Amino acid sequence: MNSWQHSPIFKFFASVQLTVTVLLTLAATSVIGTVIPQNQNLDDYLHTYGQNLYRLFSVLDMFDMYHSWWFQLLLVLLTLNIIICSMDRLPAAWKIVVKPPGFKPSRFLNASCQRQITVSSLDQAQPILEKALSRSIGQVRLEQTQHGFFLWSEKGRWTRLGVYVVHLSVVFLLAGSLIGSFWGFDGAVNIPEGETAKMIRLNNSGKSIPLDFEIRCDKFSVSYYDSGAPSEYRSTLTILENGAQVFTRDIIVNDPLRYKGINLFQSSFGNLPSQNLVLSFTSRATGMEYKEKIAPGQTVTIPEGLGSFMITEFNRDHQFKGHSIGDAFVGMMTPPNGDSVEVVLPVKFPSFDRMRKGDVIVAISETETRYYTGLQVTGDPGVWVVYTGFLLMIAGCIVTFFMSHQQICIEANTAEKICSVMIRGITNKNKIGMQKKIDATATAAIKIAKQQ
Amino acid sequence: MNSSGILSVVTFVYGFAAFLYVASWIFKKSEPGRLATWVVFAGLTGNTTGIAMRWMESYTLGYGHAPLSNLYESLVFFAGTLAAVYLVIEKKYQNRIIGAFVMPFPFLAMAYASLSPNISDRIQPLLPALKSNWLIAHVVACFIGYAAFAIAFGLSIMYLIKEKDVHGNSVLLERFPKTGVLDELNHQMVMFGFLFLSVGIITGAVWANSAWGRYWGWDPKETWSLITWFIYATLLHARLTRGWHGRRIAFLSVAGFAAVMFTYFGVNLLPGLHSYGAMGQ
């Protein structure tokens, strides 16, 4: 042991008390963020918790606690603990794995799993024991002694490294997430059908940044089950570089597009005002119906000198007298003499305006659904580090939990015409399993001995 | 008979098995216990048939998805996994008293699924976010983990009861496995569960990354699964390196299972992305 391993700071970081404390503290504090909704509007918090609690919570970063300095500190503490614990213990384990101490009967004297049996003859017992031992552990080494023999077998020495693989995997996970938080980004962009986008808006800062390429949304479609529940959201996207098409691909939820380290996910959609809107104007006086093509912001003159009409806005979720009526155009009707009136034209109810009982009834005659697709755009260079961590963790857990370093030593001696066989086993885990193996070996020897 | 009908019957089969195990333990008769093993086996067969039929029914309805998509289906799968893991343990350790402490769980899970007015057994189509190859791997891994933790919980309760009887006076506890065996078995179940919980969290993270573009988002369900992971990680470290045994490990195992239950049911009370596992769905 080096002298630095005696320093109190090293001992603090190498202690399992620290591991247990940090793990339990992480568990306890993580609960907070599931009870206090995270990253909401600050006014909502003020409203919910009142002035005093709000101040306390904001000082402690409770509204984004998983990214707060103290939570990050706990994670750093855990990582340091893992690294230093491993540094402390790995050399000894490594030595056992690469430089096995070899067979020394004395090491087995205090073995926790033991079983003694007597057999009629050592010569008969030896092949049986050898076979049983090679079946339960592996290759057997035989050593003759003055009054008998030793049989020794060992396996799984390397499994002592499994736990370090698990620890390494946690370091990978934290390193990967750190890389992601420094060099990754998470943004969003809405692209109307037929249009191209290059800029995306970052989710955390709201800043717009350009991509290295352009994305065109050729088409968006949504399909429904008979029950009305959504079944699939699909966007056909074309990637363009310097105006030249690179490729076209459909994306759906769970099947994103990845290009140049950037991922495009289907995350939302919405309706846009139709570009081919045709309105019909019906004169109450003459009963005549006139059709006019119109675009938002444009004013059309209604025949028969009935005034003019302009589309002022398009609402995706229009509220009419407190009721939601879905997508709706809102227009302004100006009669030749008199005040302007607001006219609401819900897409779903084309003759809605009849209700107004005006001189002119405005209705939607032709419209088309036009969508925009909402894409989530992310880039995270740390993801492969994290995934490597995932694989290491699974592999390491399997080795650590279900494999062990096992050694069995069988000592056979003849003393005063009694042939005694002592079976001793050493393992670093699962003593019950080891005892079972020893009992099975003993049973095999006794059974065969009886048959003979 | 459709799958829901079969699964309602399975509820009572598991209930009967639990009753037989308890009777066998209390009255110290081995016949009800031996019968109970066969009853569990019958229940498990029915449970598996029910799941398979439900899968086929979803194809008949034109939805075509594995029956692992809502609370009802997860409870049914949970019950089946518990019964299967229990049978393996019974075979390995040849002790049927454990059944009295484990088999009530599949019964309760099935009863909750079949009888609660808040849980619909209708087969529903998959939401776009659930349409993924990761669904099966994620749900199966999580519920094998949950089942192992439920058994570890039952064993911990047995340990805590047995431990009180220091002098071996209680007739009822006489055929309990020894405290050492209960402790070791508890530890093994926790290791088994921990591996599957880890695989469940990892497959969930990979899935989330392909659906939402982030592998971790501190959603309440994610966070609670991590809290559960922290508790069991504490248990494993305390035991492997601090040499904790017995009561303290049993308490940690009970605490871990409480976190499992909250991850499973309680999180639905909180807002988040896993709401399709909630009631009324």
Side-chain angles (χ1 to χ4, degrees):
Chain A
M1 209 183 236
N2 297 320
S3 62
W4 49 270
Q5 280 175 306
H6 291 292
S7 81
I9 297 172
F10 185 88
K11 277 190 177 155
F12 170 76
F13 279 110
S15 72
V16 184
Q17 278 105 316
L18 181 67
T19 318
V20 169
T21 312
V22 173
L23 281 173
L24 288 179
T25 313
L26 278 169
T29 52
S30 294
V31 176
I32 300 168
T34 66
V35 180
I36 300 174
Q38 298 288 294
N39 296 307
Q40 307 280 307
N41 194 325
L42 290 181
D43 290 339
D44 294 347
Y45 287 128
L46 192 59
H47 184 75
T48 318
Y49 298 110
Q51 196 79 26
N52 294 331
L53 264 184
Y54 173 82
R55 273 210 204 113
L56 179 69
F57 285 174
S58 13
V59 167
L60 296 173
D61 272 340
M62 286 301 182
F63 304 131
D64 190 17
M65 65 150 282
Y66 301 112
H67 303 103
S68 67
W69 63 270
W70 57 267
F71 195 78
Q72 304 273 342
L73 183 73
L74 282 172
L75 291 174
V76 169
L77 214 55
L78 184 69
T79 318
L80 281 177
N81 182 228
I82 286 170
I83 294 172
I84 293 175
C85 267
S86 302
M87 274 168 58
D88 193 27
R89 294 167 175 77
L90 181 60
W94 186 254
K95 214 171 132 192
I96 294 179
V97 172
V98 296
K99 284 190 205 142
F103 173 60
K104 278 193 209 102
S106 58
R107 281 200 298 124
F108 290 87
L109 289 178
N110 295 319
S112 55
C113 304
Q114 304 200 350
R115 172 95 184 251
Q116 187 167 26
I117 53 171
T118 46
V119 292
S120 48
S121 142
L122 283 190
D123 293 338
Q124 276 174 9
Q126 190 195 319
I128 298 156
L129 287 166
E130 223 176 311
K131 207 172 143 198
L133 191 53
S134 83
R135 200 180 307 139
S136 76
I137 304 283
Q139 208 189 354
V140 180
R141 240 181 71 182
L142 172 70
E143 223 166 84
Q144 297 289 348
T145 56
Q146 205 179 350
H147 302 288
F149 58 85
F150 279 115
L151 289 173
W152 175 61
S153 186
E154 179 188 23
K155 78 164 175 190
R157 214 183 310 130
W158 64 276
T159 64
R160 286 179 178 268
L161 299 176
V163 65
Y164 302 100
V165 174
V166 178
H167 285 172
L168 184 68
S169 80
V170 176
V171 175
F172 265 74
L173 298 185
L174 293 165
S177 72
L178 213 59
I179 294 173
S181 67
F182 280 118
W183 291 289
F185 67 89
D186 179 8
V189 61
N190 291 340
I191 314 176
E193 283 179 301
E195 290 181 25
T196 304
K198 189 178 169 66
M199 304 292 285
I200 61 156
R201 197 186 58 257
L202 293 182
N203 285 343
N204 51 5
S205 61
K207 264 197 301 198
S208 282
I209 58 159
L211 295 175
D212 290 345
F213 51 87
E214 290 111 61
I215 313 157
R216 187 175 72 212
C217 173
D218 297 322
K219 189 174 161 43
F220 175 84
S221 63
V222 51
S223 53
Y224 297 92
Y225 294 107
D226 294 340
S227 63
S231 152
E232 184 183 86
Y233 308 116
R234 180 181 289 269
S235 298
T236 307
L237 302 180
T238 298
I239 300 296
L240 303 114
E241 279 195 86
N242 306 317
Q245 295 193 11
V246 184
F247 64 91
T248 299
R249 221 199 93 183
D250 283 10
I251 63 163
I252 56 174
V253 181
N254 275 315
D255 186 17
L257 185 157
R258 304 187 197 275
Y259 184 65
K260 290 197 162 175
I262 288 169
N263 312 304
L264 305 174
F265 298 89
Q266 180 69 61
S267 74
S268 66
F269 75 99
N271 292 358
L272 291 168
S274 167
Q275 283 179 321
N276 295 308
L277 179 66
V278 177
L279 296 183
S280 78
F281 299 92
T282 309
S283 158
R284 193 180 288 279
T286 62
M288 287 293 286
E289 186 186 353
Y290 307 97
K291 290 193 175 175
E292 295 283 349
K293 196 164 184 283
I294 189 170
Q298 193 192 344
T299 307
V300 295
T301 312
I302 307 166
E304 298 185 21
L306 289 168
S308 63
F309 185 83
M310 182 176 90
I311 297 283
T312 51
E313 58 179 318
F314 174 78
N315 281 334
R316 287 192 45 214
D317 185 24
H318 192 80
Q319 298 291 320
F320 187 80
K321 292 183 176 162
H323 293 279
S324 174
I325 52 172
D327 290 351
F329 291 95
V330 180
M332 192 68 83
M333 166 80 81
T334 314
N337 38 28
D339 296 330
S340 300
V341 283
E342 192 185 72
V343 175
V344 178
L345 301 169
V347 174
K348 269 191 249 168
F349 315 105
S351 50
F352 186 78
D353 188 47
R354 215 176 280 278
M355 254 175 26
R356 188 171 53 88
K357 299 199 162 71
D359 288 339
V360 181
I361 301 158
V362 189
I364 294 173
S365 168
E366 282 174 40
T367 182
E368 59 176 18
T369 318
R370 191 166 162 248
Y371 291 111
Y372 69 82
T373 183
L375 303 180
Q376 191 181 357
V377 186
T378 69
D380 185 351
V383 117
W384 294 107
V385 180
V386 171
Y387 280 17
T388 309
F390 285 166
L391 292 177
L392 287 177
M393 175 168 288
I394 295 173
C397 278
I398 292 173
V399 173
T400 309
F401 294 152
F402 304 111
M403 295 178 177
S404 53
H405 180 196
Q406 304 172 1
Q407 302 168 76
I408 291 183
C409 166
I410 299 176
E411 183 181 0
N413 272 315
T414 315
E416 291 163 9
K417 290 186 180 167
I418 295 172
C419 305
S420 78
V421 175
M422 189 71 191
I423 309 170
R424 299 186 175 100
I426 305 179
T427 177
N428 59 338
K429 291 164 245 188
N430 192 10
K431 300 221 159 59
I432 291 184
M434 175 52 89
Q435 189 62 51
K436 277 193 173 166
K437 279 192 173 177
I438 289 176
D439 290 342
T441 311
T443 314
I446 295 166
K447 211 199 284 175
I448 305 289
K450 271 184 189 158
Q451 281 170 2
Q452 283 167 344
Chain B
M1 201 186 229
N2 67 0
S3 60
S4 307
I6 290 184
L7 292 168
S8 323
V9 175
V10 169
T11 310
F12 295 100
V13 176
Y14 283 153
F16 183 50
F19 169 78
L20 287 173
Y21 278 120
V22 174
S24 166
W25 164 44
I26 304 266
F27 300 110
K28 294 192 279 172
K29 294 266 186 283
S30 59
E31 292 82 12
R34 276 205 293 276
L35 177 61
T37 306
W38 288 105
V39 175
V40 176
F41 202 77
L44 182 58
T45 311
N47 199 331
T48 314
T49 313
I51 292 173
M53 277 179 66
R54 198 175 162 90
W55 202 332
M56 290 191 285
E57 282 162 22
S58 92
Y59 273 92
T60 319
L61 286 168
Y63 303 145
H65 63 79
L68 298 167
S69 70
N70 59 18
L71 186 55
Y72 175 84
E73 291 170 341
S74 74
L75 282 164
V76 168
F77 183 75
F78 181 46
T81 317
L82 260 168
V85 177
Y86 169 71
L87 282 179
V88 172
I89 290 175
E90 187 188 291
K91 175 113 179 65
K92 212 171 150 192
Y93 290 88
Q94 296 295 325
N95 187 303
R96 290 195 167 87
I97 296 176
I98 298 171
F101 287 83
V102 169
M103 278 314 288
F105 290 112
F107 166 62
L108 290 173
M110 290 298 292
Y112 184 43
S114 307
L115 305 174
S116 165
N118 297 323
I119 299 175
S120 160
D121 63 358
R122 265 192 26 233
I123 298 178
Q124 288 143 324
L126 282 186
L127 296 171
L130 288 180
K131 285 185 178 169
S132 167
N133 295 331
W134 291 104
L135 172 73
I136 295 180
H138 174 61
V139 177
V140 167
C142 287
F143 280 95
I144 292 178
Y146 288 5
F149 290 142
I151 293 173
F153 171 76
L155 291 162
S156 303
I157 298 296
M158 287 176 80
Y159 180 92
L160 293 171
I161 297 172
K162 174 85 175 174
E163 184 209 44
K164 288 256 180 282
D165 184 43
V166 190
H167 305 292
N169 295 331
S170 169
V171 192
L172 276 180
L173 303 182
E174 162 175 285
R175 287 194 303 142
F176 261 47
K178 290 198 188 76
T179 47
V181 174
L182 287 169
D183 182 49
E184 180 63 33
L185 198 50
N186 182 8
H187 180 225
Q188 285 191 10
M189 278 294 116
V190 169
M191 289 196 294
F192 185 71
F194 190 81
L195 172 69
F196 279 93
L197 176 67
S198 305
V199 173
I201 294 175
I202 287 169
T203 49
V206 176
W207 181 6
N209 193 38
S210 72
W212 301 309
R214 89 284 183 294
Y215 52 83
W216 194 262
W218 298 105
D219 158 78
K221 192 104 171 175
E222 289 173 350
T223 309
W224 270 97
S225 68
L226 187 67
I227 292 168
T228 309
W229 194 88
F230 283 145
I231 296 177
Y232 285 112
T234 309
L235 185 157
L236 293 170
H237 283 89
R239 194 184 153 105
L240 280 173
T241 53
R242 300 272 303 144
W244 280 20
H245 283 276
R247 188 195 304 196
R248 286 194 277 193
I249 292 295
F251 278 135
L252 272 175
S253 180
V254 169
F257 188 63
V260 167
M261 286 292 100
F262 196 83
T263 309
Y264 192 1
F265 301 110
V267 167
N268 297 328
L269 309 171
L270 305 168
L273 291 162
H274 277 81
S275 54
Y276 33 73
M279 287 187 234
Q281 294 268 321

